Amino acid sequence: MSIRYALLGIISKKPVTGYDVVTIFKQTMIYFWSSTHSQIYKELHKMEEEELITHQLVIQGTSPNKKVYSLTDKGKKDLIRWAIEEPLKPAKIKDEFLIKTTIFPILSAEEINQLLDEVIEREQSILAKTKEWKEHFNSQGDSDIGTILTVEYGIRYSEMYLEWCKWAKQMIQDKA
Amino acid sequence: MSIRYALLGIISKKPVTGYDVVTIFKQTMIYFWSSTHSQIYKELHKMEEEELITHQLVIQGTSPNKKVYSLTDKGKKDLIRWAIEEPLKPAKIKDEFLIKTTIFPILSAEEINQLLDEVIEREQSILAKTKEWKEHFNSQGDSDIGTILTVEYGIRYSEMYLEWCKWAKQMIQDKA
DNA sequence: CGCGCCATGTAAGCAGTTACATGATTCC
DNA sequence: GGAATCATGTAACTGCTTACATGGCGCG
């Protein structure tokens, strides 16, 4: 159900198409939520049925037509109500690599090292992209406090992860 | 599908009941995965059908009978195959609080502060429990490297989160 | 006598993923 | 000519959550 409020949050900043919602979602929210265009389009339809958003059809001569969504009053009220009244659900992480970590005792040193290197590479690449996005966002002169805070979260998360990997490597070497 | 390997990992350490699997899962894996007894019992049944695990029924005179599960050879092979061959899927986080963060611009200073305090309290309580579990685990003389690494991950994650919250509070004050 | 722990399961429903499906434009 | 981007959707399936359901034991 929270995906709904993530999308309402995006639309609350400015009117956007479904396609834009997907793009913005992936740019600004992958650090703490995940979804696909498939789920997002469905949720937009549901929210429109419930009158939380409306759309205006924009006929574009040549390129495909598009629906530009904006919040209704009801939508804005519901978004704020959710933010301040709805009790916080605990955060959920699903990280396969950490499952693999639990069975390190039955893997060989090489296998463990390969896995760790793989995950370090993955995380470094994510961190680089996040920093790039932060630079891009800063250079736009945009100062949306929400975006500033969540991008920083993304960076800190990746940095913590990489530190932990480095520590884990050391730990394993010491134990061997 | 990964939940399966989390459970196989638990059972690989020593034969356990479904109830034990649930308990151990919640003690050692909540930092990076989430599930419920409902899903776990179902998955155990499926895995037994596929001959990755077997059980022995233990009749307990007075208390309810229990099924003690252990890995089959097939199960152990599949677990290791998964760990070293299956490509890593990216980690997924679902954190409602960070969705709320994105709409800070439409909330009042008090509302934001209340939300932040709430989340700080939540995270402090999680961190305290994790540290407690680490102490308990250390005092057992157990030195399972998987557990050492993942508990440390849990602690570092919570510490990062709290640091970020503190930073966010400062940031919001500076902007005001 | 009630609460928490041990112990196991099922059913209904919602959330989320993957694959299928289409098509124009722009840039190289 | 082909790839990337803009643009929108549906179908089938799997995963996950919430609620329902039961019951004995040990402790205070």
Side-chain angles (χ1 to χ4, degrees):
Chain A
M1 210 51 181
S2 311
I3 184 66
R4 146 165 315 193
Y5 297 102
L7 306 184
L8 281 179
I10 291 170
I11 300 168
S12 79
K13 312 235 169 185
K14 61 166 189 255
V16 280
T17 65
Y19 187 85
D20 293 333
V21 172
V22 173
T23 308
I24 296 170
F25 179 87
K26 292 196 173 169
Q27 232 162 21
T28 61
M29 295 187 171
I30 15 151
Y31 319 118
F32 56 86
W33 209 269
S34 68
S35 194
T36 56
H37 84 276
S38 180
Q39 193 191 11
I40 290 171
Y41 279 110
K42 254 195 281 175
E43 192 63 36
L44 289 172
H45 295 319
K46 268 197 266 174
M47 289 195 289
E48 190 160 35
E49 248 178 71
E50 296 176 37
E51 295 178 304
L52 302 174
I53 55 176
T54 24
H55 79 262
Q56 254 194 299
L57 195 66
V58 176
I59 313 280
Q60 303 184 111
T62 51
S63 21
N65 298 337
K66 56 186 184 181
K67 295 179 177 178
V68 178
Y69 290 99
S70 48
L71 281 205
T72 62
D73 275 4
K74 195 179 164 193
K76 189 169 180 186
K77 265 181 207 153
D78 192 41
L79 176 59
I80 292 175
R81 179 206 57 76
W82 169 79
I84 63 185
E85 281 174 34
E86 208 69 46
L88 259 190
K89 284 188 209 131
K92 280 179 192 171
I93 303 179
K94 301 232 159 169
D95 190 331
E96 271 201 351
F97 180 72
L98 284 149
I99 297 181
K100 294 194 178 184
T101 304
T102 65
I103 57 157
F104 276 3
I106 57 170
L107 300 180
S108 73
E110 292 124 279
E111 285 163 350
I112 292 173
N113 247 295
Q114 214 188 304
L115 285 172
L116 271 163
D117 288 341
E118 209 185 307
V119 90
I120 287 170
E121 216 185 299
R122 171 189 86 179
E123 207 57 42
Q124 273 171 345
S125 139
I126 292 173
L127 177 58
K129 271 179 212 144
T130 310
K131 282 184 171 169
E132 223 176 85
W133 159 248
K134 185 189 170 185
E135 286 317 308
H136 169 77
F137 163 78
N138 278 342
S139 72
Q140 302 271 303
D142 196 339
S143 63
D144 182 282
I145 188 73
T147 310
I148 292 171
L149 298 181
T150 53
V151 169
E152 178 71 18
Y153 173 85
I155 289 173
R156 284 171 184 239
Y157 174 82
S158 287
E159 283 173 346
M160 177 278 291
Y161 209 103
L162 287 165
E163 281 297 312
W164 173 80
C165 287
K166 243 168 58 185
W167 172 86
K169 276 199 149 184
Q170 195 57 52
M171 198 67 191
I172 288 157
Q173 227 168 34
D174 292 352
K175 289 262 161 182
Chain B
M1 210 49 181
S2 312
I3 184 67
R4 145 164 318 194
Y5 297 102
L7 307 184
L8 281 179
I10 291 171
I11 300 169
S12 78
K13 313 233 168 184
K14 62 166 188 257
V16 281
T17 66
Y19 186 86
D20 293 333
V21 172
V22 173
T23 308
I24 296 170
F25 179 88
K26 292 196 173 170
Q27 230 162 22
T28 62
M29 296 187 169
I30 15 150
Y31 318 119
F32 55 87
W33 208 270
S34 66
S35 194
T36 55
H37 85 275
S38 179
Q39 193 191 10
I40 290 171
Y41 279 111
K42 254 196 279 174
E43 192 63 36
L44 290 172
H45 295 319
K46 269 198 264 172
M47 290 195 287
E48 189 160 36
E49 248 178 69
E50 295 177 38
E51 296 177 305
L52 303 174
I53 55 176
T54 24
H55 79 264
Q56 255 193 298
L57 194 66
V58 176
I59 313 281
Q60 305 185 111
T62 51
S63 19
N65 298 338
K66 57 186 182 181
K67 295 180 177 177
V68 177
Y69 289 100
S70 48
L71 280 205
T72 61
D73 276 4
K74 197 179 164 193
K76 190 170 178 184
K77 266 180 205 152
D78 191 41
L79 176 59
I80 292 176
R81 180 206 56 76
W82 169 80
I84 63 185
E85 281 174 33
E86 209 68 47
L88 259 190
K89 282 187 209 130
K92 279 180 190 169
I93 303 179
K94 301 234 159 168
D95 190 331
E96 270 200 352
F97 180 72
L98 284 149
I99 297 181
K100 293 192 178 184
T101 304
T102 66
I103 58 158
F104 276 3
I106 56 170
L107 300 181
S108 73
E110 292 123 279
E111 284 163 350
I112 293 173
N113 248 295
Q114 213 188 305
L115 285 173
L116 271 163
D117 288 341
E118 207 185 309
V119 90
I120 287 169
E121 216 184 301
R122 170 189 87 180
E123 208 57 42
Q124 273 171 344
S125 138
I126 293 172
L127 177 57
K129 272 179 211 144
T130 310
K131 283 183 171 170
E132 223 176 86
W133 158 248
K134 186 189 170 186
E135 287 317 309
H136 168 77
F137 162 80
N138 279 341
S139 72
Q140 301 272 302
D142 196 337
S143 64
D144 182 282
I145 187 74
T147 310
I148 293 171
L149 298 180
T150 53
V151 169
E152 178 71 19
Y153 172 85
I155 290 173
R156 284 171 183 237
Y157 174 81
S158 286
E159 283 174 346
M160 177 278 291
Y161 209 105
L162 287 166
E163 280 298 311
W164 173 80
C165 287
K166 241 167 61 184
W167 172 86
K169 276 199 148 184
Q170 195 57 51
M171 198 68 190
I172 288 157
Q173 224 168 37
D174 293 352
K175 290 262 160 180

